[in-house]
Amino acid sequence: MELSTEKTIDWIERWVEYIKQNVTALNELDAAIGDGDHGTNLNRGTQAVKKALAEEKPQTLPLVYRTTAMALVSTIGGASGALFGTAFLTMARLSKDGETKLETLLLEANEAMKKRGKSDVGMKTLIDLWDPATKAFRDHKLTCSYIQNCVDKTKNMKASKGRSSYLRERSIGHIDPVAKSSSYLFIALLEVLEEDK
C-alpha cells in the first residue's frame, strides 16, 4: 500500500481536524489519569502541523512526514510530543531511504516509539493502539471497529508508564487518552483509503 504525497497530506490534515473536534473529550479522558490537557496540547501541535504544511507546501513524502514531526515536537511538551515526533521522523527517514510501503512505515514508527518510550503492549500507552493497529493494517484487517476495540481495551489496563502510572490501580477503569488520540490518525487513514478506491 502506497500513499501519494497529496493523499498523505490529506490523511494528516484529517487527523488534525479530528483532534480539533475532540479537544474537550480528550482533555476529559486525560483529567481522569493525567494533567487534563492532552486534547489542548495535541490540538496546539496539530494546528501547528496544518500551518506548517500550508506554508512549506512539501512536495515529497519525506518532507511531509518531517514537516509534521518538527511541528509536533516544537509545540507539544511532554512524552506525547516526543513520541508522535519520533513516529513521523521515522517515517520521514525511511521514505527518504526509498521505503514507500505505508505498512512498513507504520510498523517501523511503532517500533521506534516503543524504543523511545521504553514501552510495550499492556502498559496503557499509545502503543496499545499503535501496535495492534499497525499489524492489522499490514494484514489488511484494520477497521474502525477494530480501532475502537483497541482503545476500549486500555480501560481495564493498569498504567505502568507515564504520569498515569503514579495512580497504579486507580488508573484501571479509564481509557488511555493518547491511545484515543492515536485512534483518530488510523480512522483518518481508513477514510482516505476508502475514498481512493
Side-chain angles (χ1 to χ4, degrees):
M1 167 65 63
E2 295 186 6
L3 270 190
S4 66
T5 301
E6 186 181 46
K7 288 288 181 185
T8 302
I9 291 172
D10 183 15
W11 165 37
I12 292 168
E13 288 184 338
R14 283 173 191 247
W15 180 48
V16 171
E17 189 58 33
Y18 267 118
I19 299 303
K20 183 181 176 183
Q21 291 171 2
N22 291 280
V23 172
T24 302
L26 291 170
N27 281 345
E28 286 171 356
L29 288 177
D30 194 35
I33 56 174
D35 289 341
D37 59 359
H38 178 59
T40 302
N41 282 339
L42 192 55
N43 186 53
R44 182 174 64 243
T46 52
Q47 288 302 316
V49 168
K50 185 177 180 180
K51 185 180 178 191
L53 290 172
E55 290 177 352
E56 297 177 29
K57 297 181 174 60
Q59 299 296 309
T60 66
L61 216 47
L63 281 175
V64 171
Y65 289 134
R66 181 172 174 77
T67 299
T68 301
M70 299 316 288
L72 291 170
V73 170
S74 63
T75 53
I76 305 175
S80 57
L83 292 171
F84 281 125
T86 294
F88 284 104
L89 276 176
T90 299
M91 292 194 281
R93 176 176 53 78
L94 289 170
S95 56
K96 189 177 181 182
D97 290 342
E99 179 57 72
T100 55
K101 282 181 67 180
L102 190 54
E103 299 95 318
T104 304
L105 296 178
L106 288 169
L107 286 164
E108 291 298 322
N110 175 54
E111 291 303 319
M113 286 193 295
K114 282 185 185 177
K115 287 180 186 171
R116 181 74 188 268
K118 297 182 175 65
S119 56
D120 210 334
V121 173
M123 292 183 170
K124 200 181 183 98
T125 70
L126 78 170
I127 298 301
D128 290 299
L129 184 281
W130 274 80
D131 195 80
T134 53
K135 289 168 181 172
F137 184 70
R138 173 197 64 197
D139 299 337
H140 309 289
K141 293 178 179 176
L142 190 65
T143 62
C144 286
S145 60
Y146 182 84
I147 292 167
Q148 187 56 49
N149 187 44
C150 292
V151 172
D152 290 342
K153 280 184 178 178
T154 67
K155 189 170 186 177
N156 294 322
M157 293 177 183
K158 184 174 82 169
S160 55
K161 272 286 170 184
R163 186 171 294 274
S164 56
S165 65
Y166 302 143
L167 299 175
R168 296 188 173 90
E169 274 71 20
R170 284 186 293 137
S171 66
I172 298 170
H174 303 284
I175 283 172
D176 181 72
V178 198
K180 182 63 176 177
S181 60
S182 293
S183 75
Y184 296 128
L185 182 68
F186 287 89
I187 290 167
L189 175 59
L190 289 180
E191 286 179 359
V192 169
L193 293 176
E194 185 63 34
E195 286 182 11
D196 208 27
K197 283 182 179 177

